[in-house]
Amino acid sequence: MGDSGGVPRLPVEPPYYDPAVREVIPERLARRYGLLPLFRVNGSLALAMADPTNPFLRERVERITGLYVMPVAADPEAIQRVLDAGGAPELDEIEGEADLQVEEEAEETAGAASEGEAAASPVVRLVQRMVQRAVLAGASDVHVEPHEGRLRVRLRVDGVLREDLSAPGSVLPAVVSRIKVMAGLDIAQRRVPQDGRVRVRVAGRRVDLRVNVVPVQGGEKAVLRLLDAQARPLDLDALGMEPEDLERLRRALAQPSGIILVTGPTGSGKTTTLYAGLARLNEPGRNLCTVEHPVEYSLAGVAQIPIHPAAGLDFATALRALLRQDPDVIMVGEIRDEETAQVAVRAAQTGHLVLSTLHTEDAPGAIPRLLEMGIRPFLLSQVLRCVLAQRLVRRPCPDCVAVAAPTGREAGLLAARGLEAQALSRAVGCARCGQTGYRGRLGVYEVMAVDEVLREAIAAGGERVRELARVRGARPLVADALAKAARGLTTVEEVLRVVGEDVS
C-alpha cells in the first residue's frame, strides 16, 4: 500500500466496523475504488480507503451520502474481503459458540426439519451470537427482519434502535424458524402472528425472551424482548426522584387504601417504578398480589398472576379473583378499559391499596382519562392518592462526554424554568457507547399528590386539576428533565427528544 499521508489506520473489523452503514455508498463504487464505510457519528462517516490521499474520491462520497467523510487508511485486501463477504459476518464466519444455553427449549413441532435444516449449525450460532450481543449491550429488544434483500438485526438500547448485525437474506427463514423452535412456536405457520417465550442463560445469567413473530413483506419479522430473570426491583431511593417528589410517593404508599397510578408511554419505566413501590411494601404482615401481562420480575412473598386473554383471564377477571384472596396491596399491570377501572376503584373503596399504570401524557391527564372510563368524579376524588408521570432519558456516556457552554436556545429553555448552568453535557460518541454518545438512562418525573384542594377539584369534574396541581407543587416533566440536564445528568437535546418543551 502507498503512503497514507498521515491519515489514521484502523482494522476493518468490530468495534471499528459497523456492517449497518455499509449500504450508504453504492456497491459498484466501493469495489472499484476500495472503499468501506466503517461507522457513522452524527453527520460524519468514517471511510476506510485503499487510497486515503485521494481528495476527489472523498468529495464524491460526500456528495453521494451528504455526510462529512473522515478518511481512514486500511489494507486494500482486507477491504475486499469484507466486501466479498457481503459486509456482515457470514454464517460460516461466526467465531465459536456463544455462551448461551436454552433452558426451556420446546420440542420441535411438525415441519421443524424443513427449511434451513442443512444450515442448522451456523444458524444456531448466529441466533446465539445475536442474543449474546443483545444481552451484553444491555438491549431491551431485538428486531430480526428482512431489509432490502438482507437479514437485518437491530437492538433497542436505552430506548433507541440501532443496527447491529446483517446477513444474507436467504438465511432469514432459517433464523426465524430457529427462534420459533426456541419459543415453542409452530414453524410451519407463517401467515399469522405468534407469541412465545423461552428462558436462556447468557454468561451464567438467566434471561427471559418474550418472542413475537409476524408476517411482513419479504418474509417474517421476529421481535425478542429481553427480561433479566434474576433482576431485583430497584429501591425507591434509586429511582432518581427529587427529594420532595420521593416524599410525596412515600406518603401515598403509606396509606392503607386508595389508588396510586404511574403514567407514561410504553417503555418509560412504569413497571420498574411499580415494583420499587411493591418492594417497599413487601412485609410479612401484608398480603401482596399482582396481575401482570407478562410477569416481568419474580418477587418473593408476592402472589403474581400472569393474565391469559385467549383463555378468558383478563385484567378485570383476575382482579376480581384476587379480591377473594384477602389482599392488602394489589398491583394491576395496566388499567386499559372501563371494566378494569371500575373494579380497581371498588377495590380501593373496600380497603385495598391498588397500584397500576395508565397511558397519559402527564399526571393531571389521568383524571379526564379515568372519567372517560366511566368513573364518577366523587368516587375518583375519594380513592385517588397519587399520580406519577415519568419518562426515561439517556445519560451521557462517561467515557466520551464533553461539556460546553449553553447555546442561546438552551439558556432560554433553562431560564424559562428558573434554571441556569455554566456548562452542559454534550453527547460525543465512542466504541463503548456504540457511537451514540449515551450509555444508561435515568427517570424524570412529575408527582401529583392528591390533597384536599385537588380532591375538591376532581369531585367538581377535574377541569382545574392541572392548574391547581402546579400550584400545589407538581413540577411538569420538562422542568424535572431540564433540572437534571442543568446538573449534567443528561443533555438538553435528549430532553427535547423525549419530553419536548411544550409539556405544561
Side-chain angles (χ1 to χ4, degrees):
M1 177 186 293
D3 181 20
S4 62
V7 175
R9 179 179 297 275
L10 288 177
V12 289
E13 60 186 26
Y16 306 104
Y17 171 50
D18 178 6
V21 303
R22 161 143 180 223
E23 297 175 0
V24 300
I25 64 174
E27 178 85 0
R28 185 170 57 182
L29 182 69
R31 291 186 176 277
R32 181 176 180 181
Y33 294 104
L35 306 176
L36 181 68
L38 293 180
F39 55 84
R40 179 175 174 175
V41 182
N42 297 326
S44 299
L45 176 70
L47 181 68
M49 305 175 67
D51 180 12
T53 62
N54 186 335
F56 303 103
L57 191 55
R58 171 181 164 180
E59 290 174 5
R60 182 173 178 183
V61 174
E62 288 181 340
R63 287 197 304 271
I64 292 173
T65 64
L67 301 171
Y68 172 78
V69 169
M70 300 181 294
V72 171
D75 180 6
E77 293 183 0
I79 292 176
Q80 194 61 45
R81 282 197 300 271
V82 175
L83 293 174
D84 290 341
E90 297 295 325
L91 298 185
D92 293 332
E93 297 173 356
I94 297 172
E95 297 180 359
E97 291 289 332
D99 181 18
L100 179 146
Q101 300 87 38
V102 177
E103 291 193 348
E104 300 173 10
E105 184 166 354
E107 293 185 7
E108 297 188 8
T109 57
S114 58
E115 59 183 297
E117 188 174 26
S121 180
V123 165
V124 167
R125 290 202 303 273
L126 176 60
V127 174
Q128 288 177 329
R129 186 68 170 166
M130 179 182 73
V131 175
Q132 183 192 48
R133 288 172 65 90
V135 171
L136 296 179
S140 61
D141 302 87
V142 182
H143 291 239
V144 183
E145 58 200 347
H147 178 69
E148 297 183 352
R150 295 186 63 80
L151 179 153
R152 178 174 68 171
V153 178
R154 293 187 292 169
L155 306 181
R156 188 175 294 279
V157 180
D158 294 334
V160 178
L161 276 174
R162 69 187 194 201
E163 296 191 25
D164 185 61
L165 294 173
S166 179
S170 59
V171 305
L172 176 64
V175 169
V176 174
S177 291
R178 172 60 185 166
I179 293 170
K180 287 181 177 180
V181 168
M182 290 171 60
L185 305 179
D186 182 358
I187 70 169
Q189 179 56 264
R190 303 181 186 88
R191 297 183 178 180
V192 298
Q194 297 188 66
D195 291 286
R197 59 175 293 275
V198 63
R199 174 167 290 182
V200 299
R201 185 178 291 271
V202 180
R205 191 163 192 86
R206 293 196 308 274
V207 177
D208 284 331
L209 305 179
R210 311 290 179 179
V211 179
N212 175 262
V213 181
V214 298
V216 297
Q217 184 70 27
E220 291 180 284
K221 174 173 178 173
V223 175
L224 289 66
R225 165 145 300 186
L226 280 64
L227 300 171
D228 190 339
Q230 295 174 250
R232 293 291 175 264
L234 290 175
D235 187 86
L236 282 178
D237 297 333
L239 292 177
M241 291 185 192
E242 297 300 316
E244 59 271 23
D245 288 337
L246 184 58
E247 182 57 31
R248 291 188 184 100
L249 180 56
R250 282 175 173 162
R251 286 199 298 266
L253 289 168
Q255 298 298 312
S257 65
I259 295 178
I260 298 173
L261 294 174
V262 182
T263 77
T266 300
S268 58
K270 300 188 298 295
T271 302
T272 298
T273 300
L274 286 184
Y275 271 100
L278 281 180
R280 173 61 62 95
L281 297 170
N282 191 8
E283 299 174 351
R286 290 194 181 100
N287 180 19
L288 275 65
C289 305
T290 75
V291 183
E292 304 174 65
H293 184 55
V295 174
E296 295 195 18
Y297 301 101
S298 178
L299 281 174
V302 178
Q304 296 174 270
I305 299 178
I307 71 166
H308 295 285
L313 183 62
D314 55 19
F315 279 115
T317 303
L319 183 51
R320 288 194 190 93
L322 277 185
L323 290 176
R324 298 190 288 273
Q325 291 281 313
D326 186 32
D328 297 297
V329 179
I330 301 172
M331 186 190 94
V332 183
E334 181 183 352
I335 295 177
R336 61 174 63 173
D337 54 46
E338 180 176 337
E339 187 178 13
T340 305
Q342 296 285 359
V343 178
V345 168
R346 285 199 295 271
Q349 280 184 289
T350 53
H352 306 90
L353 184 63
V354 179
L355 282 61
S356 191
T357 71
L358 201 64
H359 287 281
T360 63
E361 285 293 316
D362 59 6
I367 308 305
R369 181 77 182 95
L370 289 168
L371 295 179
E372 290 168 3
M373 289 182 176
I375 306 300
R376 293 164 56 192
F378 176 74
L379 288 180
L380 183 59
S381 71
Q382 295 301 305
V383 300
L384 193 61
R385 301 287 178 259
C386 181
V387 183
L388 182 153
Q390 69 177 75
R391 301 287 191 278
L392 293 175
V393 295
R394 292 179 294 174
R395 295 178 180 270
C397 173
D399 291 317
C400 63
V401 62
V403 295
T407 65
R409 185 191 181 202
E410 290 171 335
L413 288 171
L414 294 174
R417 300 291 175 177
L419 303 165
E420 63 177 346
Q422 298 302 311
L424 296 173
S425 294
R426 301 282 188 230
V428 178
C430 65
R432 293 291 303 277
C433 62
Q435 307 300 332
T436 64
Y438 297 95
R439 201 160 86 234
R441 290 190 289 179
L442 76 155
V444 295
Y445 304 93
E446 173 187 19
V447 182
M448 183 181 79
V450 180
D451 58 12
E452 192 60 38
V453 172
L454 288 178
R455 194 169 292 117
E456 292 178 1
I458 295 170
E463 292 183 2
R464 297 190 61 211
V465 166
R466 179 170 281 102
E467 169 194 345
L468 292 172
R470 302 292 177 251
V471 174
R472 308 299 291 176
R475 292 194 311 164
L477 280 167
V478 67
D480 187 47
L482 286 173
K484 287 169 178 170
R487 301 205 301 269
L489 300 177
T490 186
T491 66
V492 173
E493 179 183 19
E494 178 70 358
V495 170
L496 297 179
R497 183 187 73 85
V498 175
V499 183
E501 58 181 290
D502 297 325
V503 180
S504 61

PDB file of all heavy atoms in Angstrom, residues 6 20 37 80 89 112 121 128 131 145 193 333 352 377 418 446 482 504:
ATOM      1  N   GLY A   6      -0.478  10.497   6.475  1.00  0.00           N
ATOM      2  CA  GLY A   6      -0.822  10.924   7.826  1.00  0.00           C
ATOM      3  C   GLY A   6      -2.234  10.587   8.251  1.00  0.00           C
ATOM      4  O   GLY A   6      -2.650  10.934   9.361  1.00  0.00           O
ATOM      5  N   ALA A  20     -23.880  -2.145   9.491  1.00  0.00           N
ATOM      6  CA  ALA A  20     -25.140  -1.480   9.152  1.00  0.00           C
ATOM      7  C   ALA A  20     -24.951  -0.256   8.266  1.00  0.00           C
ATOM      8  O   ALA A  20     -25.886   0.154   7.575  1.00  0.00           O
ATOM      9  CB  ALA A  20     -25.870  -1.077  10.440  1.00  0.00           C
ATOM     10  N   PRO A  37     -17.356   1.928   4.211  1.00  0.00           N
ATOM     11  CA  PRO A  37     -17.825   2.734   5.347  1.00  0.00           C
ATOM     12  C   PRO A  37     -17.650   1.950   6.645  1.00  0.00           C
ATOM     13  O   PRO A  37     -18.081   0.793   6.735  1.00  0.00           O
ATOM     14  CB  PRO A  37     -19.302   2.965   5.034  1.00  0.00           C
ATOM     15  CG  PRO A  37     -19.418   2.772   3.558  1.00  0.00           C
ATOM     16  CD  PRO A  37     -18.418   1.708   3.219  1.00  0.00           C
ATOM     17  N   GLN A  80     -11.412  -5.635   0.532  1.00  0.00           N
ATOM     18  CA  GLN A  80     -12.009  -6.505  -0.476  1.00  0.00           C
ATOM     19  C   GLN A  80     -12.627  -7.745   0.147  1.00  0.00           C
ATOM     20  O   GLN A  80     -13.698  -8.206  -0.265  1.00  0.00           O
ATOM     21  CB  GLN A  80     -10.954  -6.915  -1.515  1.00  0.00           C
ATOM     22  CG  GLN A  80     -11.536  -7.541  -2.770  1.00  0.00           C
ATOM     23  CD  GLN A  80     -12.455  -6.593  -3.510  1.00  0.00           C
ATOM     24  OE1 GLN A  80     -12.123  -5.431  -3.691  1.00  0.00           O
ATOM     25  NE2 GLN A  80     -13.627  -7.068  -3.906  1.00  0.00           N
ATOM     26  N   PRO A  89     -20.857 -10.307   9.193  1.00  0.00           N
ATOM     27  CA  PRO A  89     -20.350 -11.635   9.487  1.00  0.00           C
ATOM     28  C   PRO A  89     -21.228 -12.684   8.816  1.00  0.00           C
ATOM     29  O   PRO A  89     -22.411 -12.775   9.089  1.00  0.00           O
ATOM     30  CB  PRO A  89     -20.460 -11.718  11.026  1.00  0.00           C
ATOM     31  CG  PRO A  89     -20.519 -10.308  11.497  1.00  0.00           C
ATOM     32  CD  PRO A  89     -21.206  -9.552  10.405  1.00  0.00           C
ATOM     33  N   ALA A 112     -40.420 -29.129  11.585  1.00  0.00           N
ATOM     34  CA  ALA A 112     -39.200 -28.493  12.051  1.00  0.00           C
ATOM     35  C   ALA A 112     -37.995 -28.893  11.235  1.00  0.00           C
ATOM     36  O   ALA A 112     -36.980 -28.211  11.251  1.00  0.00           O
ATOM     37  CB  ALA A 112     -38.965 -28.836  13.524  1.00  0.00           C
ATOM     38  N   SER A 121     -26.423 -25.690  12.001  1.00  0.00           N
ATOM     39  CA  SER A 121     -25.333 -25.324  12.895  1.00  0.00           C
ATOM     40  C   SER A 121     -24.961 -23.849  12.789  1.00  0.00           C
ATOM     41  O   SER A 121     -24.928 -23.162  13.802  1.00  0.00           O
ATOM     42  CB  SER A 121     -24.118 -26.215  12.634  1.00  0.00           C
ATOM     43  OG  SER A 121     -23.073 -25.864  13.504  1.00  0.00           O
ATOM     44  N   GLN A 128     -27.510 -17.546  18.530  1.00  0.00           N
ATOM     45  CA  GLN A 128     -26.828 -17.453  19.816  1.00  0.00           C
ATOM     46  C   GLN A 128     -26.024 -16.160  19.919  1.00  0.00           C
ATOM     47  O   GLN A 128     -26.072 -15.450  20.930  1.00  0.00           O
ATOM     48  CB  GLN A 128     -25.905 -18.659  20.002  1.00  0.00           C
ATOM     49  CG  GLN A 128     -26.636 -19.963  20.253  1.00  0.00           C
ATOM     50  CD  GLN A 128     -25.674 -21.130  20.348  1.00  0.00           C
ATOM     51  OE1 GLN A 128     -24.631 -21.139  19.722  1.00  0.00           O
ATOM     52  NE2 GLN A 128     -26.047 -22.124  21.134  1.00  0.00           N
ATOM     53  N   VAL A 131     -28.325 -13.056  20.347  1.00  0.00           N
ATOM     54  CA  VAL A 131     -28.866 -12.862  21.695  1.00  0.00           C
ATOM     55  C   VAL A 131     -27.763 -12.447  22.658  1.00  0.00           C
ATOM     56  O   VAL A 131     -27.950 -11.571  23.514  1.00  0.00           O
ATOM     57  CB  VAL A 131     -29.572 -14.141  22.181  1.00  0.00           C
ATOM     58  CG1 VAL A 131     -30.029 -13.991  23.625  1.00  0.00           C
ATOM     59  CG2 VAL A 131     -30.765 -14.470  21.285  1.00  0.00           C
ATOM     60  N   GLU A 145     -35.355  -8.911  11.011  1.00  0.00           N
ATOM     61  CA  GLU A 145     -36.288  -8.521   9.965  1.00  0.00           C
ATOM     62  C   GLU A 145     -35.642  -8.540   8.593  1.00  0.00           C
ATOM     63  O   GLU A 145     -34.423  -8.404   8.465  1.00  0.00           O
ATOM     64  CB  GLU A 145     -36.802  -7.108  10.255  1.00  0.00           C
ATOM     65  CG  GLU A 145     -35.681  -6.082  10.346  1.00  0.00           C
ATOM     66  CD  GLU A 145     -36.080  -4.818  11.083  1.00  0.00           C
ATOM     67  OE1 GLU A 145     -37.278  -4.619  11.317  1.00  0.00           O
ATOM     68  OE2 GLU A 145     -35.177  -4.046  11.444  1.00  0.00           O
ATOM     69  N   PRO A 193     -49.658 -13.973  13.157  1.00  0.00           N
ATOM     70  CA  PRO A 193     -48.739 -13.633  14.257  1.00  0.00           C
ATOM     71  C   PRO A 193     -48.693 -14.752  15.291  1.00  0.00           C
ATOM     72  O   PRO A 193     -49.680 -15.458  15.513  1.00  0.00           O
ATOM     73  CB  PRO A 193     -49.350 -12.356  14.853  1.00  0.00           C
ATOM     74  CG  PRO A 193     -50.236 -11.808  13.784  1.00  0.00           C
ATOM     75  CD  PRO A 193     -50.757 -12.996  13.039  1.00  0.00           C
ATOM     76  N   GLY A 333     -51.230  -4.552  36.336  1.00  0.00           N
ATOM     77  CA  GLY A 333     -50.266  -4.126  35.329  1.00  0.00           C
ATOM     78  C   GLY A 333     -50.691  -2.908  34.544  1.00  0.00           C
ATOM     79  O   GLY A 333     -49.876  -2.031  34.254  1.00  0.00           O
ATOM     80  N   HIS A 352     -58.454  -1.624  50.054  1.00  0.00           N
ATOM     81  CA  HIS A 352     -57.229  -2.142  49.463  1.00  0.00           C
ATOM     82  C   HIS A 352     -56.412  -1.005  48.851  1.00  0.00           C
ATOM     83  O   HIS A 352     -56.984  -0.028  48.351  1.00  0.00           O
ATOM     84  CB  HIS A 352     -57.545  -3.171  48.377  1.00  0.00           C
ATOM     85  CG  HIS A 352     -58.442  -4.277  48.836  1.00  0.00           C
ATOM     86  ND1 HIS A 352     -59.814  -4.213  48.743  1.00  0.00           N
ATOM     87  CD2 HIS A 352     -58.154  -5.473  49.413  1.00  0.00           C
ATOM     88  CE1 HIS A 352     -60.341  -5.324  49.226  1.00  0.00           C
ATOM     89  NE2 HIS A 352     -59.354  -6.100  49.648  1.00  0.00           N
ATOM     90  N   PRO A 377     -66.843  11.334  39.242  1.00  0.00           N
ATOM     91  CA  PRO A 377     -65.874  12.276  39.829  1.00  0.00           C
ATOM     92  C   PRO A 377     -65.771  12.174  41.341  1.00  0.00           C
ATOM     93  O   PRO A 377     -64.664  12.198  41.897  1.00  0.00           O
ATOM     94  CB  PRO A 377     -66.416  13.647  39.401  1.00  0.00           C
ATOM     95  CG  PRO A 377     -67.177  13.368  38.145  1.00  0.00           C
ATOM     96  CD  PRO A 377     -67.785  12.012  38.334  1.00  0.00           C
ATOM     97  N   GLY A 418     -36.620  28.696  35.524  1.00  0.00           N
ATOM     98  CA  GLY A 418     -35.906  29.185  36.694  1.00  0.00           C
ATOM     99  C   GLY A 418     -34.582  28.493  36.916  1.00  0.00           C
ATOM    100  O   GLY A 418     -34.104  28.418  38.056  1.00  0.00           O
ATOM    101  N   GLU A 446     -42.963  13.569  37.300  1.00  0.00           N
ATOM    102  CA  GLU A 446     -43.928  14.571  37.755  1.00  0.00           C
ATOM    103  C   GLU A 446     -44.827  13.853  38.756  1.00  0.00           C
ATOM    104  O   GLU A 446     -45.493  12.871  38.398  1.00  0.00           O
ATOM    105  CB  GLU A 446     -44.767  15.097  36.594  1.00  0.00           C
ATOM    106  CG  GLU A 446     -45.897  16.012  37.030  1.00  0.00           C
ATOM    107  CD  GLU A 446     -46.824  16.376  35.882  1.00  0.00           C
ATOM    108  OE1 GLU A 446     -46.815  15.656  34.866  1.00  0.00           O
ATOM    109  OE2 GLU A 446     -47.568  17.364  36.013  1.00  0.00           O
ATOM    110  N   LEU A 482     -35.153  19.182  32.615  1.00  0.00           N
ATOM    111  CA  LEU A 482     -34.189  20.263  32.397  1.00  0.00           C
ATOM    112  C   LEU A 482     -33.324  20.503  33.637  1.00  0.00           C
ATOM    113  O   LEU A 482     -32.145  20.860  33.518  1.00  0.00           O
ATOM    114  CB  LEU A 482     -34.913  21.543  32.001  1.00  0.00           C
ATOM    115  CG  LEU A 482     -35.471  21.564  30.575  1.00  0.00           C
ATOM    116  CD1 LEU A 482     -36.323  22.819  30.355  1.00  0.00           C
ATOM    117  CD2 LEU A 482     -34.341  21.507  29.540  1.00  0.00           C
ATOM    118  N   SER A 504     -46.788  21.277  29.732  1.00  0.00           N
ATOM    119  CA  SER A 504     -47.105  22.360  30.674  1.00  0.00           C
ATOM    120  C   SER A 504     -46.690  22.024  32.088  1.00  0.00           C
ATOM    121  O   SER A 504     -46.458  20.892  32.422  1.00  0.00           O
ATOM    122  CB  SER A 504     -48.607  22.632  30.642  1.00  0.00           C
ATOM    123  OG  SER A 504     -49.333  21.487  31.023  1.00  0.00           O
TER     124      SER A 504
END
